[in-house]
Amino acid sequence: MYIEQAAYNSLEISKITALVARRCRSEIGALVAENTAPASDMGELSKRRELFGDVESYRGRKGDLPWADGLVSVAFMLEFAEENGLLSGEELVKIRLMLTLAGRMREELSENREEYPSFSILLRNMRDFAEETEMLSVIDDEGHLYDYASEKLAAVRREMRGLKETLRRRGHALLNDPSIASMLQERVLTLRNGRHAFLVRQDAISQFPGAVIERSGSGSSVYMEPHSLMSLNNEYSRLYGEEMLEETRIFREFTARLIKRKKGILDTENVLGTIDLFYALSEMTRLYKWRMPELSKRTEFSFVRARHPLLGDRSVPIDIRCGGKFRILVITGPNTGGKTVALKTAGVCVYFGWLGFPVPAGEGSVLGDIGELFADIGDEQSIEQSLSTFSAHITHVTGILDRVTQRSLVMMDELGAGTDPEEGAALGIALLDWLRERGALVLATTHHNPIKRYALAADGVETASVEFDAATLSPTYRILIGIPGRSNALLIAGKLGMKKEIIRRAEEAINGREVSMEDLIGELHEKRAALEREAREVERSRQKLAALEKDYESKIKAIEEKRDALIAKADKKALSIVRNAEDSARALIKNMANAEAEAQARRELEKKRSHFQKIEKSAIKREEKKETAESVVATGQELKAGDTVQLIGTSKSATVIEVSGKKARVRAGIAEVEVPLTKLKVITRKAAPPQPTVQIKVSRPVGVPSSIMVRGMTIDEAMPMVEQYLDQAYCAGYDAVTVIHGRGQGILRREVQELCKRLPYVAEHNLGGPGEGGYGVTVVKFRR
């Protein structure tokens, strides 16, 4: 989508972007927020939305992507380095921080690319900087090179340390000489301009055996270099110069390598900035309820409960739409009623929607295929309104008309203002009619009654008003589509104390046609108020009915569940009675002495067995019918990996791992089983969280206590026992156990804690607290 500069400025986009930028964690995120342009077409817009959706989904399920505090833009550093060929140590540290984060980010995005396919968009612009990161590891956090940065640097610094020690010893010897010490302002050997010197009193300069280097800040003393240290200082200065040259050579080498990869670094910076911007937008979504609008292929928009971000808590949510049944919406109403704010709110939502961002509006908002955004928004109330201002507006509008298409959204504030009302109204109607013929989408505001009448009569044009409370003389800022607004000028003047005679004469001066127009609008507002009251009553009744319906359904469900439970209980009892009777009959037959009677009894038992089997089959069929009616097979639902399901007849829930034929493999806690689809019902379609919340705990095996003591054992004796014990305790279902290793020298404690770090099922391990054994025990908590 193209937005003209005038529209960008009128909508105050930069101020709103600054609000988002303040939520970013770094300046690179703020820079991306300020420099992102709208998508060029619907395809690109869809990709941006998918990317934001995947990052948001990742954040909701797994937490924030890797991040590091202190990130700054390195673009200007690299540009300056191209000119002078040298980056400072501090600048290299900042670049290293970014490249290190980029490595972590690249690894995380790669690992999750299958689950979040749009991560590939980010990965395309991220390079591998492992070599550069390793190269820069020879610099400490302050920007200084470590000795091992090069062999020459290490050798020079070794020699400098030895020489410095010699200088220190000789300096201390001079300090211990009473004749020298008496001339010093301070008994300290100090380094000034790369030379070791003493601070000598002003009155002792001529007596001190040395040369003046510089005067102190107070002027009452000077720094002097003793003659006995001059040769050593000369050698130290030489080595210092060699150190500086070697450091500069290394920095230039690093700079040259980074400049060669400048484009890749800048692309990576942009990716990191984009992720930071998404974090800020996610915060805006959470704090201010911004929402991602639905997309439409038509040129239209509909924003529900939209708010202007710059108004903050003072903003009143509005519903505004254009497109569909009408292509032009003319908003009317009194000054300061909120017409211009409504215009700007719609423009801001359209712009941010085409950035691929959430918009300051609620659920159910729709954004269509808008190719261009033009706006002519002025200030009719300005005392500077004149022919020159009117000319400027006409020039601007003329330029807009030259570029408008069927996919354009044109916003014009105070249509027909700034000139003679009659001519201005005629010009406004002509503009709207021309734009209507071209099929453009138009939002306009006006005071003129002729334009209101045009909006009421013309096809494809709709009128709206900003609501005004006549009783309090204050606007409500609500948008009422379908009803034009009254100017309320005479009403406001009367309420504010204007003489009644003047008000009466003004009313007489208005021609009959305009009076009838105002009266018509007044009647429409009264009817609308009555309809709204009825609508509120209907809505209250609907909510009451919905509550009753919900209560009824819950009671019916409870009755059905109770009925099923009673039938199941009865079936179970009947089957038990039948089986007990059959067992008793067999026992009696077995103990019969008379063979003929035994044979007769067996025949009778066989006759009854068919009846018993009917009872048993009836109970089994009822249970199978219940399972089948609730199952995914009966409801026609298709199971997918990640769905949360419930095993029918139990309260256990599980996560689907794989569906194969008529069975599904599910995970419940640490157990994995295969279950027929006829015995599963879906609880939720949301993908299961990384750590399952439902666990199936097995019975604790005999002999697995809640703690183990290995105090006094050697490492070879203790560690196999601890590892085996932790395995058993985890399988037994413990949440936490205690390993008692004693205090001693801490060797056994360190080994236990190193083991805990390696075990994947250990969530955390800590030393015991007060009353738990302190340093003598380690409390191990398991993942669940």
Side-chain angles (χ1 to χ4, degrees), residues 221-417:
S221 53
V222 294
Y223 289 98
M224 298 188 68
E225 177 186 14
H227 294 311
S228 59
L229 300 182
M230 282 186 179
S231 60
L232 292 174
N233 270 335
N234 290 338
E235 181 62 16
Y236 187 86
S237 295
R238 182 187 67 79
L239 292 172
Y240 181 77
E242 289 186 13
E243 180 190 28
M244 292 299 102
L245 287 173
E246 180 62 11
E247 288 183 352
T248 302
R249 184 195 67 78
I250 294 171
F251 284 154
R252 286 191 182 279
E253 181 183 326
F254 290 174
T255 301
R257 289 183 60 180
L258 291 173
I259 288 174
K260 287 181 180 178
R261 304 207 63 187
K262 177 184 172 184
K263 185 181 183 305
I265 294 173
L266 297 185
D267 287 345
T268 297
E269 177 180 306
N270 189 62
V271 170
L272 295 177
T274 299
I275 291 170
D276 193 22
L277 171 59
F278 284 173
Y279 168 86
L281 291 169
S282 180
E283 289 297 290
M284 299 298 283
T285 299
R286 181 177 63 85
L287 295 172
Y288 305 115
K289 311 301 181 187
W290 287 25
R291 293 292 181 265
M292 192 71 81
E294 300 172 15
L295 288 185
S296 168
K297 293 182 179 179
R298 299 192 303 179
T299 302
E300 63 178 336
F301 66 80
S302 175
F303 299 116
V304 179
R305 297 188 62 77
R307 295 174 181 266
H308 198 289
L310 295 182
L311 295 179
D313 295 336
R314 298 180 292 120
S315 64
V316 175
I318 62 170
D319 294 348
I320 187 168
R321 67 182 188 274
C322 193
K325 293 182 180 179
F326 56 89
R327 304 284 293 174
I328 297 176
L329 181 66
V330 178
I331 305 174
T332 58
N335 287 333
T336 69
K339 301 189 302 297
T340 302
V341 171
L343 217 64
K344 290 185 175 182
T345 301
V348 166
C349 288
V350 168
Y351 179 81
F352 272 80
W354 267 87
L355 290 176
F357 298 168
V359 302
E363 297 287 352
S365 297
V366 176
L367 176 66
D369 184 9
I370 297 173
E372 302 86 27
L373 176 56
F374 303 106
D376 182 65
I377 300 175
D379 183 8
E380 188 213 4
Q381 302 169 57
S382 172
I383 62 173
E384 297 174 354
Q385 191 77 276
S386 63
L387 178 61
S388 60
T389 306
F390 176 73
S391 300
H393 281 295
I394 292 300
T395 302
H396 182 208
V397 171
T398 301
I400 292 174
L401 299 179
D402 290 338
R403 292 176 286 173
V404 75
T405 69
Q406 289 184 346
R407 294 175 61 235
S408 298
L409 169 59
V410 182
M411 297 190 297
M412 293 184 288
D413 190 30
E414 299 301 350
L415 191 63

Side-chain angles (χ1 to χ4, degrees), residues 456-529:
L456 284 169
D459 291 336
V461 183
E462 185 60 273
T463 183
S465 61
V466 286
E467 190 178 47
F468 186 83
D469 190 334
T472 61
L473 293 180
S474 59
T476 66
Y477 302 107
R478 293 174 58 201
I479 301 294
L480 308 175
I481 294 179
I483 301 176
R486 303 179 67 178
S487 65
N488 292 299
L490 299 182
L491 178 63
I492 294 172
K495 292 284 187 179
L496 294 177
M498 181 67 71
K499 293 182 182 299
K500 292 182 180 179
E501 177 64 21
I502 296 175
I503 298 295
R504 184 182 62 77
R505 291 187 182 186
E507 289 174 346
E508 291 175 353
I510 299 175
N511 62 54
R513 183 176 59 179
E514 290 178 330
V515 169
S516 64
M517 181 67 183
E518 287 291 317
D519 290 343
L520 172 62
I521 292 172
E523 288 179 20
L524 284 173
H525 277 277
E526 289 175 6
K527 290 179 179 178
R528 177 199 57 78

Side-chain angles (χ1 to χ4, degrees), residues 29-46:
L31 286 171
V32 172
E34 293 166 4
N35 295 319
T36 300
S40 59
D41 53 41
M42 293 292 281
E44 183 186 345
L45 178 60
S46 297

Side-chain angles (χ1 to χ4, degrees), residues 423-436:
E423 292 183 356
L427 181 60
I429 292 172
L431 276 172
L432 292 179
D433 212 39
W434 190 91
L435 290 168
R436 181 170 67 94

Side-chain angles (χ1 to χ4, degrees), residues 88-122:
S88 68
E90 293 84 352
E91 290 173 329
L92 290 169
V93 168
K94 292 172 182 176
I95 293 174
R96 182 182 66 191
L97 177 64
M98 177 179 290
L99 299 186
T100 302
L101 173 61
R104 292 166 52 209
M105 184 71 73
R106 190 168 181 266
E107 182 180 350
E108 187 67 19
L109 294 174
S110 297
E111 288 179 359
N112 291 276
R113 181 165 43 186
E114 290 186 8
E115 189 173 356
Y116 304 100
S118 63
F119 281 3
S120 299
I121 299 172
L122 299 175

